[in-house]
Amino acid sequence: MQRSQEIPIHMQRTGFDPVPELSSLRQHDGIIRITSGFGLDTWLITRYADVRSVLSDWGSFSNTMQAGIQESEAPEPGDDTSAVLGTLNLLASDPPEHTRLRRTIAPEFTARRLRRLEPRITGIVNDHLDVLERSGEPGDLVPAFTSPIPVLVICELLGVPHEDREDFQKRTDGFLDITTSNAERAALQAESHAYMAKLVARNRVEPGDGLLGRLVSRHGTELDNAELVGLASLLLLAGAETTSNMLALGMFALLRHPEQLDVLRRDPELVDAAIEELLRWLSIVHNTTAKVATRQVQIAGRTINAGDLVMCSLPAANRDPDFVVRPDELDITRPASRHVAFGHGPHHCIGAPLARLQMRIALPALLGRFPGLRLAAEPEFRSGYLTHGLDSLPVMW
């Protein structure tokens, strides 16, 4: 079985890069009908200007997705998890409901709140560097460093007990693998939501000092349990997986571009610019969630009818030559760009500041601990996942 034939064009990569066919599509048509990784017929938008337009216009492109959900993927009537699985959360709601939910959680991602978390992130990073150093070379950065750190950070944020974190990672990996069957994926999602429901119930009785406890204390009468579960599950699923892959691919990209790594080593103050360029160039999230057109609209000369599904290709948009010069080159000295790696508009990733903070701490710490860091073998890219990443990153130092 050829996995590449099963993976939609917008999820295919050639190493770090989107496949040439996606770039050709952006150049010539800009839009195409595809079958998504979940088997839904949808329009795929590829040009930067069109992507920003779609993501800004929630009135024309709804995130509720009600028109596109297949009955076979929905929970059975009467299933105890159906209310939770179907609850509105930040990804599956529009203003004003989305505004209400986002307002409750946004203060947790302000610079002031994240500064309180910074010492703990630094501690987690240093602990894993200590273990990696003691284990000796060669080492694999994915299981030893880039994968566990974001999970621990998000779990610290939420107040997830240490003994529960390994099981969560396994559920996350299975759910994000599109080669997993619909039934298996639904079961993993149900398990995850059931666990988060227990954690929310625990915080209802005795609010902890994590994010869930603070939400219960401040917005307990405004947010019901299903909404709390939806918010917590989204942060875990989206925050841990994406940051893990950004750390791994970002480090690999720098090792593959030694001239860029040398620039960063000579001028550590470029770390923020390097992170933004890596976010743009890698664009590890293949696409936005599918949106439903609420009215007939024109995009790239094509007519999208009300009820049609629409997705945006983030890698194609961030590599658009009409957006940035030399888009396929990695250049950490490039002036800051308004990339869409975290999306755009009302649904811009609320956890973006936390992801940036983890990269700002982890990458310099890794390079500082191992100044001679280099590849020990050819890494393995992950295929078939909703985010681009690596299965391994073998290194020596």
Side-chain angles (χ1 to χ4, degrees):
M1 179 173 62
Q2 298 295 319
R3 288 169 62 93
S4 62
Q5 294 179 356
E6 302 171 356
I7 301 174
I9 183 174
H10 67 289
M11 298 178 67
Q12 297 179 33
R13 306 275 181 135
T14 303
F16 295 111
D17 305 322
V19 291
E21 292 83 357
L22 189 61
S23 300
S24 178
L25 168 62
R26 181 190 59 225
Q27 178 182 353
H28 294 99
D29 297 317
I31 184 172
I32 192 176
R33 290 281 286 185
I34 65 165
T35 301
S36 75
F38 292 102
L40 301 175
D41 291 331
T42 180
W43 291 100
L44 180 70
I45 314 299
T46 61
R47 293 174 182 160
Y48 177 79
D50 292 333
V51 166
R52 282 178 61 93
S53 177
V54 168
L55 297 182
S56 299
D57 188 2
W58 60 267
S60 300
F61 301 97
S62 169
N63 265 39
T64 59
M65 288 187 60
Q66 295 305 311
I69 297 177
Q70 296 178 339
E71 291 182 3
S72 61
E73 297 185 44
E76 290 293 328
D79 189 328
D80 290 340
T81 64
S82 60
V84 175
L85 291 174
T87 189
L88 293 176
N89 59 36
L90 288 176
L91 285 182
S93 61
D94 298 321
E97 187 67 10
H98 173 267
T99 306
R100 178 183 69 84
L101 290 171
R102 190 174 178 110
R103 178 177 54 80
T104 63
I105 200 170
E108 299 296 330
F109 295 95
T110 61
R112 179 183 176 188
R113 174 64 69 181
L114 292 180
R115 276 196 297 270
R116 299 179 184 178
L117 194 60
E118 186 170 348
R120 184 59 189 131
I121 297 175
T122 301
I124 291 171
V125 167
N126 288 331
D127 287 347
H128 284 77
L129 288 175
D130 291 342
V131 173
L132 183 64
E133 189 171 20
R134 286 197 302 267
S135 299
E137 53 186 346
D140 188 342
L141 290 182
V142 170
F145 190 74
T146 67
S147 184
I149 287 173
V151 174
L152 290 174
V153 170
I154 295 293
C155 289
E156 286 283 340
L157 181 72
L158 289 175
V160 175
H162 288 270
E163 62 270 19
D164 296 343
R165 297 175 184 181
E166 183 177 352
D167 285 343
F168 165 75
Q169 182 69 57
K170 293 177 181 177
R171 285 192 295 265
T172 302
D173 286 344
F175 178 71
L176 293 174
D177 185 349
I178 68 165
T179 63
T180 302
S181 70
N182 285 345
E184 291 171 321
R185 189 183 300 113
L188 288 168
Q189 188 181 27
E191 289 176 17
S192 178
H193 277 76
Y195 168 75
M196 293 310 304
K198 292 179 181 178
L199 192 61
V200 166
R202 188 183 312 165
N203 277 273
R204 284 284 190 191
V205 175
E206 187 176 350
D209 57 3
L211 180 144
L212 278 177
R214 291 192 295 272
L215 287 179
V216 167
S217 297
R218 297 173 184 174
H219 303 283
T221 58
E222 180 182 354
L223 295 171
D224 61 30
N225 284 1
E227 289 170 334
L228 286 168
V229 168
L231 290 171
S233 298
L234 175 61
L235 289 174
L236 280 167
L237 285 170
E241 183 72 11
T242 53
T243 307
S244 171
N245 287 329
M246 266 307 305
L247 286 171
L249 277 175
M251 193 66 250
F252 182 31
L254 291 172
L255 292 172
R256 269 281 183 257
H257 295 79
E259 76 288 350
Q260 299 293 307
L261 184 53
D262 287 343
V263 170
L264 182 57
R265 281 179 167 144
R266 289 195 303 268
D267 186 1
E269 295 298 318
L270 282 174
V271 63
D272 287 331
I275 288 170
E276 294 309 311
E277 175 66 350
L278 288 168
L279 287 165
R280 180 201 70 82
W281 192 70
L282 293 169
S283 297
I284 64 162
V285 178
H286 302 297
N287 55 270
T288 61
T289 54
K291 302 173 182 294
V292 179
T294 61
R295 62 182 182 86
Q296 188 178 91
V297 293
Q298 295 284 323
I299 295 181
R302 302 293 295 272
T303 299
I304 298 177
N305 294 312
D308 286 356
L309 290 179
V310 175
M311 288 196 312
C312 297
S313 171
L314 301 180
N318 280 333
R319 297 282 191 103
D320 189 339
D322 289 336
F323 160 54
V324 65
V325 298
R326 309 184 318 278
D328 294 324
E329 294 182 20
L330 177 67
D331 180 3
I332 67 169
T333 66
R334 190 188 301 274
S337 64
R338 300 173 67 185
H339 64 72
V340 290
F342 288 118
H344 177 66
H347 288 277
H348 180 272
C349 177
I350 198 168
L354 179 60
R356 287 184 169 105
L357 177 60
Q358 291 179 77
M359 295 181 68
R360 190 181 304 125
I361 293 172
L363 292 180
L366 178 61
L367 294 172
R369 180 71 68 95
F370 304 117
L373 192 71
R374 62 194 184 278
L375 293 173
E378 191 65 23
E380 300 176 8
F381 285 96
R382 302 174 72 177
S383 62
Y385 285 73
L386 299 184
T387 55
H388 194 38
L390 297 173
D391 281 326
S392 66
L393 183 53
V395 295
M396 299 183 71
W397 51 85

